[in-house]
Structure formats: structure tokens, C-alpha cells
Amino acid sequence: MPALTESRAGSVAVLTLDLPGEPVNKLNAAVKAELEAAFARLRTETAVSAVILISGKADTFIAGADIEEFTRLTSREAFERLSLEGQIMLQMVEDFPRPVIAAIHGACLGGGLELALACHYRICTDHPKTQLGLPEVQLGLLPGAGGCVRLPRLIGLSAALGIILPGRSEIGPKAFRLGLVDEVVPKSILLETARKAAERLSAAGAAAVKRKGGHWLLDRTWPGRQIVYAKARRDTLKKTFGNYPAPLAALEVVRVGLERGRAAGFVAEHKKFGELAVTPVSRRLIGIFFATNALKKDDGLPAGVTAVPRAIERLGVIGSGFMGAGIAGTAVSQAGIGVRVRDTELSRVGKGLKSATDILTAKLKRRRLSRFDYERQTALLSGGTDFAGFHNADLVIEAVFEDLEVKRTVLAETEAATSEATIFATNTSTIPIGDIAAQARHPERVLGMHFFSPVDRMPLLEVIPTDRTSADSIATAVQFGRKIGKTVIVVRDHPGFWVNRILTPYMNEAGYLFSEGVPMEVLDRVMTRFGFPVGPITLLDEVGLDVAAKAGGVMHKAFGDRLTPSAVLGNMLADKRLGRKNGRGFYLYPKGQKAGPDETVYDLLGLKPAKPADLTLTEQRLVYSLLNEAAMAAGEGVVRSPRDGDIGAIFGIGYPPFRGGPLRYIDDLGPAAVVATLRALEQQVGPRFQPAASLVRMAEQNEHFYSDSAG
Ligand code: 3HC
């Protein structure tokens, strides 16, 4: 079945792209051939005055090149050719002698936007689902079908770099302000507006198909552009530490395209595309794209078990603190369901509802939410001090104080106030769910849902069934998590679950290194260079020292000496230092903003900070503590697959995506090499580095976490 169908609106040809059997439109080899054939044919049809390109999909224009095709190519030359062929096809569109209009609704990304850029006129809808962007660098690539050359010419150098280098997408109104599209209209009149534009442009003749120049200022002069290139390079290196080659390569291609002309730009573009596509970084990032998509289809159940997830229409949230409010606001904004919040005092309920509403307000301000939806969603939020409104809740999530007895009481009260069908989820980061559920009347409907803070921004959710949780409850929680926009992993009910388990020894090690005198900013820099978004000391300040100390204590109790925390946190807490939240942590927070290190901390702890001459050992101690724990926990079956473990580490703690996750990284280093380094650290630093038994076995038997790592 063809993907492209043609119809006529008077003398205007309307090409509708609707890839059969696929949820989104993508530019694969077959679609490219169809587009080429259509434009070649229309060129000869002189009765056709203009062409409109539109999508037949509900919410995507075109999601870009077909990433799946990338996995079948292996050589640099093959990727170069793929990019070149894309460029040639789009040149054909640009060279079409009559106006070509892109009518865009929904995701218009990567090659999809590049196709729109090759058209002579672009109209998009104002719907929040309409996103225009070039996300290629997030896959370790660069826009390879002319985007690096055309975009700066259309919207100016600075604005183009603002989209290409971070791989950003923009909604319709912003795209219009940038000059990326010529008109932005409601969805209902998209085609009609495109048809009118087609008639207008074809009446204007050849002038209409000529590209109009940008209207930028600094970018127009050679010296001005040099400033922009230099700043973009500096900013990129500051963010990536050179770990990601794609943004720098894209910057270089943009520069060539502007300084040496379009032809040179296109050559540089397809050459760099070929180079980048075969880098391990790109392979890993593409692997994460597919792993995340595969997780979206995983019901979280053990093999052979099936269940029917129940739709959640009404949610109850107990505890209106930061987490509870975050869960309530996220549920309303993502799923549009009624949420009832309960807390012990009305003032707390009010505060919680306000911060839940703030999530919606932020979306309204960024125009990710219409005023109508904002009003509708805020009306879905309510709260009180009793259980009114809980009797018909499908799911209740408690996010109260991290204390076993308190959580047990909340569970008992909730069971008394809710129906025979209500699922009870506890949001805890460390307390075993089995302990909380021990006296439950309906343990089959109790499980853990571990959200990360801030809930509306952190993409991960750990769902933790006990051995008594029913399959229906698991499937329902997983489906609900996904509905509110989370990537969900189902993990074993084991202290710390997955994310806090692997994080604990890493945070402990940072404490040890600090107490040995390694300066806080050095520790942070070592890890941001490795690829984490923030270092461990900053993370402690962000999480809250009290929260971290409490979690560390639970983990120490559960796992013994190996996870003994350093004395640092206790001493900091004795000085009432809670981190960013009370403006007193490792770093200074004048006016709430993080500034430099608080040097008084060294005196407080009796330390003389000194940067180690060789930071390799510092990095190894931090990284290998995490790798070893990840291997150990994976060996204990805490995660259902290496994929889940790696996605959990990347989305939960910001483990560097380009390294593919800790388990993938162990595979890449080789389990035997990891064991050898751990043994050396065990000798040099202490017994906590004793390699996990499961890792030693893997090394001995030459096994890997992933089947494609072997060999
Ligand atoms: N290639 C291949 N498959 C794609 C795809 C693409 N570009 N975009 C989406 N898909 C697939 C997904 O894998 C998923 O497949 P599955 O159902 O078999 O698992 C399906 O389409 C639906 O995707 P989502 O579940 O992600 O749907 P959403 O509605 O949540 O999101 C989207 C839609 C915003 C388009 C999102 O899928 C997305 O961001 N896609 C990737 C966009 C991208 O990175 N484009 C750049 C590609 S590289 C490129 O264009 C190179 C060029 O410069 C030469």
C-alpha cells in the first residue's frame, strides 16, 4: 500500500502522507522513493499550480528519518549515502518550479522538519502536539538532510544553533516567532489556509518560490558570526565535556554551510552524518530510544502471566507535601483525571493544592496547555482533611512521612475508607513494601510506586509489587504510570529497590572522598566530566542531607558494613545543614541560587581540602562503587532485565546516556576488566570494593548482560 496519496483542490495538488500500519510517519527508503516519484511526475503536470504536503496521521506530521533503518546499516559510507540521498530528495522539493507548502500538524521532527524546510512555505497548527525540531543530536547524529544548511539561512545563525545543538523542539507560536513557519493556525483550518496560501503564492509566480533571507543582525556580519560560533562551542563544551561529538560536529557543519556556501555545507553535512552514525555514542543513544519504546509496551508482568489493567479515573493522594502535590499535579495534567488530596491539616492541603496547580500554571505559561484545558484541569483538583471523595477512588497513592508505622496506619485507614477495588500504592524510596503491606486486608492490591523528585519533571517511576500483589494491580499501576508520562520499570521489593540501591554506595563513596579532603567542586567536576548532569555533592544538596542520611541509614541496616555511610552527613546535619532547601548545605545559596562552595564546611569537619594529583582513582572509586552494586543487584534479580536496569539508572539518576547505562558499560569494559579494577580498589581502598559474586562468575564464564555484547 502506498504511503502517499494525491488529491486535487482546484489546480493545487495535495499530497497526503500516511504510512500504512505505522503509528507515525517516517521517512524510510520506500517513502522517499514515493515522494521523489510524486514530485517528478507533478513537475511535468503543468496544470498543477502548487503542491501541499500534509499528513494523514492524527498527531504526527513526520517523525523524521526511520531510525529503525539506521540499525541495519553498519558502515560510515552507508550512512553518508543515506544522508546524501535525503539531501538530493529534498533538493528536488526545493527546486520544484511551483510553490510547495508544508501543512504541519503534530510532531515535525528531524528529517520531517528538514522536508518542511525544503518547502517554500510552512503553515503549522497552534496545537500543543505540534512540535517542530531537530532532535538528531539526542541520537548522537546531526540533521543530515539539509537542516544544518537551510535552518540558519531561514531563521538566523543563533536561533538555528539554539534548535540544532540541544536538539530542541518548538511549539507552533514559538516557531512562528522564530520565523520557522510562515503562519500558525488552528487545526480545523490548516488545509484551508494552506490552499489559500497555495493560490496566493502561485499567483505571485516565480518570486514566491525564491527563498527569503533571514532578518537577524549579529549573524549578518562575519565578525558577528565568529562571536556566535566561539560562544556556541564554549557553551557546548561546558555542557558536554566533549563526551558528545554530535553538537560540535553540527556546529562545524553550520559554519561551513554559512561561510563556504550551501554546496560545501551539504558535503560537510553528509560526511559528518556518516562519521557520527557509526560512533559508539550514537549507537548507545539510539539503543536507548528503542529500549524506552520497548518499555512502553511492557506490561511489567512475569513471562506467561497476563492481566487486564484497569483504567484509573479517580485518584486519591495522601500527603500533600512536595511529593504528594507533585503526583497530584502530574496526574491531573497528564491524565486529566479527578484527584482528591488528603492531609491532616487544611493549611497543608491548601499548600499542596497550590503547588499541584503550579505545575499546570507553568505549562500554561509555556503554552503547553491551553487556557481551556488549564481551567478544566484545575477544577479536577480538590482536597480535604478527611477521606471524603476516596470511596470511589480507583487508586490511592500515599506520599506521607518515610516511617513504617505511619505508612501502615495510612494503609489501614485507607482500606477502611475505600472500595473493594481500590489499589493502594505507597511512594517510598527505601522501606520494603512487604513490610508496609504486612497487615493489609487486601495485600493483593498493595504495591509500591516510587516517584522521583520533582515528580512532574523526573521521567522515571519504579513500580514495586510484593510477592502477594496481584497481576491486575501490577498491570494497572504500570499502565497508569505510563499514562502520566513516566517510563516505568517494575523492580523487586528489596531495600532501596533499584535506583536507590545503586546510588547508595556511590553517595557513600563521595562522602568518604570528601572526608579524605577531596574538595567538593572537584568531586562534582569529576562526575560531570564522566557525564552525569550533576556531581554527587550537588546531588546531596538537592536531595536534602536529611533525606539522604535517612536513606543511607536504612540501606546500611539492610546490607551491613559494605554500605556503611561516611560520617560526613551526620556532622553536617548536626550543624543544621539540610542542603538547598534551607540554604545551608555544601554549597552556598545566596537568594536561593547555587553559588560556590561553602568553605566553612571544611572547618566544620576539620578538613584541609586538597585536589588529588591524579583524579583517575577518584573517578574509579565513584564509578566502580556504582557499577559493582548494579551488577550485584542485577544478579539478585532486582530488575527484570539489563534494559530495565540501564534505563532506570539513566532516567532515575542521570547516569550518562552515551555510556548506555551501568550494565551496558560493564559489558563494554568487559566483566573481567571490571572485576580486575574492583580487586585493585579492594586492595587499595577497602573491602567494600569486593567484586559482586555474580560479576566474578560472569567474568569467569565470559558472560555479558546483553547478548549483543558477547564476542
Ligand atoms: N523512526 C522510527 N520509528 C519511530 C520514529 C522514527 N523517527 N519516531 C517514532 N517511531 C516509532 C517508535 O519507535 C514507536 O514504535 P513502536 O510503537 O513500534 O514502539 C512509534 O513510532 C510511536 O512512537 P512513540 O511511542 O514515541 O509515540 P509518541 O506519540 O509518544 O511520540 C514522537 C511521537 C514525538 C514522534 C516520538 O516518537 C519521537 O520523538 N520520535 C523520534 C523523533 C526523532 O528523533 N527524529 C529524528 C530522527 S533522525 C533523522 O531524522 C535524521 C535526519 O536528519 C536525516
Side-chain angles (χ1 to χ4, degrees):
M1 253 204 349
L4 208 58
T5 49
E6 191 188 320
S7 58
R8 291 287 155 95
S11 64
V12 178
V14 180
L15 294 178
T16 305
L17 184 62
D18 193 348
L19 198 56
E22 294 284 345
V24 300
N25 281 328
K26 40 195 180 174
L27 297 173
N28 59 22
V31 170
K32 279 190 249 174
E34 279 192 54
L35 278 166
E36 264 178 18
F39 276 97
R41 185 171 38 74
L42 289 169
R43 211 181 162 96
T44 63
E45 293 187 26
T46 45
V48 170
S49 61
V51 180
I52 293 172
L53 198 58
I54 196 163
S55 161
K57 301 283 183 212
D59 287 322
T60 5
F61 176 66
I62 300 171
D66 184 350
I67 305 170
E68 225 161 303
E69 275 187 352
F70 296 174
T71 59
R72 293 192 282 274
L73 305 180
T74 49
S75 72
R76 183 171 60 75
E77 293 75 18
F79 280 106
E80 241 181 56
R81 208 171 323 118
L82 181 116
S83 165
L84 176 62
E85 284 166 7
Q87 291 176 340
I88 292 171
M89 195 263 286
L90 296 194
Q91 195 56 47
M92 210 173 150
V93 175
E94 187 175 289
D95 290 343
F96 194 77
R98 281 149 278 150
V100 183
I101 293 111
I104 303 161
H105 170 73
C108 172
L109 300 171
L113 179 57
E114 292 176 293
L115 172 55
L117 289 171
C119 296
H120 307 116
Y121 198 80
R122 285 157 294 280
I123 306 167
C124 76
T125 70
D126 57 4
H127 196 277
K129 291 241 174 193
T130 297
Q131 302 273 339
L132 299 97
L134 294 171
E136 284 89 340
V137 294
Q138 291 175 9
L139 300 171
L141 300 167
L142 50 71
C148 294
V149 177
R150 289 194 178 94
L151 189 62
R153 285 181 159 71
L154 183 68
I155 65 171
L157 173 61
S158 300
L161 292 179
I163 288 180
I164 296 172
L165 301 188
R168 201 200 318 277
S169 307
E170 304 290 4
I171 50 170
K174 176 80 187 290
F176 177 70
R177 278 203 298 283
L178 289 172
L180 187 53
V181 294
D182 302 281
E183 287 184 65
V184 52
V185 296
K187 186 183 174 200
S188 54
I189 57 163
L190 178 64
L191 185 57
E192 179 55 17
T193 313
R195 205 180 48 73
K196 283 191 186 138
E199 283 164 6
R200 206 170 57 239
L201 293 169
S202 61
V209 274
K210 269 191 76 187
R211 209 143 267 288
K212 58 177 190 286
H215 41 73
W216 54 96
L217 210 64
L218 178 65
D219 305 6
R220 270 204 180 151
T221 65
W222 186 87
R225 288 197 299 273
Q226 305 318 302
I227 296 170
V228 176
Y229 297 136
K231 181 168 182 318
R233 193 181 157 76
R234 258 196 329 271
D235 290 350
T236 303
L237 280 172
K238 212 163 122 189
K239 274 198 212 113
T240 64
F241 292 102
N243 286 326
Y244 294 86
L248 289 180
L251 178 62
E252 175 58 12
V253 173
V254 168
R255 196 186 62 77
V256 172
L258 277 182
E259 307 306 327
R260 306 215 332 253
R262 284 170 56 104
F266 285 132
V267 172
E269 188 181 77
H270 65 245
K271 291 226 167 293
K272 284 281 180 206
F273 186 87
E275 274 173 35
L276 290 172
V278 292
T279 56
V281 171
S282 178
R283 295 271 141 170
R284 292 288 166 258
L285 295 177
I286 286 176
I288 291 165
F289 174 78
F290 285 116
T292 315
N293 276 322
L295 259 175
K296 284 187 197 166
K297 294 203 196 94
D298 191 332
D299 57 13
L301 296 171
V305 178
T306 52
V308 186
R310 215 151 36 86
I312 304 295
E313 305 290 347
R314 277 167 301 270
L315 174 71
V317 176
I318 300 180
S320 61
F322 196 56
M323 289 307 282
I327 294 166
T330 306
V332 163
S333 85
Q334 297 284 333
I337 55 169
V339 180
R340 181 84 185 165
V341 177
R342 178 193 178 246
D343 210 319
T344 45
E345 286 164 34
L346 263 184
S347 60
R348 294 172 64 95
V349 175
K351 219 170 138 208
L353 291 176
K354 157 89 174 58
S355 30
T357 312
D358 285 347
I359 293 172
L360 305 175
T361 312
K363 281 179 86 177
L364 177 72
K365 278 193 186 141
R366 281 186 288 124
R367 300 225 209 174
R368 304 274 152 157
L369 195 64
S370 66
R371 170 61 64 179
F372 175 79
D373 283 334
Y374 174 80
E375 300 296 351
R376 197 176 53 84
Q377 291 181 3
T378 41
L380 289 167
L381 273 169
S382 65
T385 51
D386 54 19
F387 278 95
F390 274 67
H391 63 284
N392 60 358
D394 303 299
L395 171 69
V396 172
I397 305 176
E398 71 75 12
V400 299
F401 190 60
E402 196 75 342
D403 178 278
L404 178 59
E405 283 316 314
V406 176
K407 285 185 183 281
R408 277 184 174 167
T409 307
V410 167
L411 168 56
E413 286 172 357
T414 307
E415 282 193 321
T418 53
S419 81
E420 280 298 302
T422 308
I423 295 173
F424 180 88
T426 166
N427 174 63
T428 171
S429 49
T430 42
I431 306 176
I433 312 302
D435 292 352
I436 298 171
Q439 291 142 16
R441 287 213 322 254
H442 292 287
E444 73 283 4
R445 285 191 265 111
V446 179
L447 43 67
M449 287 178 88
H450 179 209
F451 289 89
F452 295 79
S453 173
V455 179
D456 60 317
R457 291 214 301 274
M458 290 296 283
L460 190 71
L461 169 66
E462 289 181 306
V463 165
I464 312 117
T466 70
D467 48 14
R468 297 193 291 169
T469 310
S470 71
D472 283 354
S473 301
I474 302 173
T476 302
V478 168
Q479 190 190 59
F480 174 70
R482 220 169 273 150
K483 192 165 175 206
I484 61 169
K486 302 299 169 204
T487 296
V488 187
I489 57 171
V490 175
V491 298
R492 237 186 88 192
D493 187 19
H494 214 239
F497 317 124
W498 171 251
V499 170
N500 279 342
R501 170 82 182 270
I502 64 174
L503 191 61
T504 301
Y506 167 78
M507 295 302 251
N508 285 351
E509 204 56 35
Y512 285 124
L513 284 157
F514 187 70
S515 60
E516 290 164 27
V518 184
M520 60 185 95
E521 70 280 16
V522 172
L523 283 170
D524 278 348
R525 207 173 324 115
V526 165
M527 281 299 98
T528 47
R529 269 181 204 284
F530 183 77
F532 278 92
V534 295
I537 305 292
T538 299
L539 189 58
L540 278 172
D541 266 2
E542 293 294 332
V543 168
L545 273 55
D546 51 341
V547 175
K550 188 153 188 172
V554 173
M555 297 302 282
H556 181 204
K557 204 164 145 215
F559 292 97
D561 286 352
R562 191 169 54 75
L563 295 190
T564 308
S566 79
V568 168
L569 284 190
N571 293 335
M572 294 284 283
L573 285 171
D575 191 43
K576 299 196 171 44
R577 288 175 182 266
L578 302 181
R580 181 196 269 275
K581 62 185 165 195
N582 77 338
R584 284 169 56 76
F586 289 92
Y587 287 91
L588 293 164
Y589 296 93
K591 296 197 192 116
Q593 293 303 311
K594 183 181 167 204
D598 182 349
E599 303 287 341
T600 63
V601 168
Y602 297 113
D603 289 338
L604 176 74
L605 303 183
L607 300 173
K608 292 233 171 320
K611 185 177 165 190
D614 178 11
L615 289 174
T616 315
L617 181 62
T618 308
E619 181 189 295
Q620 272 185 349
R621 284 176 57 177
L622 289 165
V623 172
Y624 279 74
S625 61
L626 191 155
L627 295 184
N628 198 27
E629 200 66 32
M632 195 181 298
E636 291 162 10
V638 172
V639 279
R640 297 166 63 232
S641 66
R643 174 202 70 190
D644 287 11
D646 282 339
I647 293 295
I650 292 167
F651 288 178
I653 58 174
Y655 188 92
F658 76 96
R659 297 187 193 273
L663 302 177
R664 177 61 87 172
Y665 191 50
I666 292 175
D667 273 6
D668 286 348
L669 294 168
V674 175
V675 167
T677 306
L678 283 166
R679 290 224 158 101
L681 289 169
E682 187 185 359
Q683 291 292 316
Q684 207 176 342
V685 186
R688 61 182 180 276
F689 282 98
Q690 186 185 19
S694 55
L695 190 58
V696 173
R697 201 195 54 244
M698 283 174 71
E700 283 166 359
Q701 297 176 2
N702 195 23
E703 286 174 354
H704 292 82
F705 285 107
Y706 290 87
S707 54
D708 65 0
S709 295

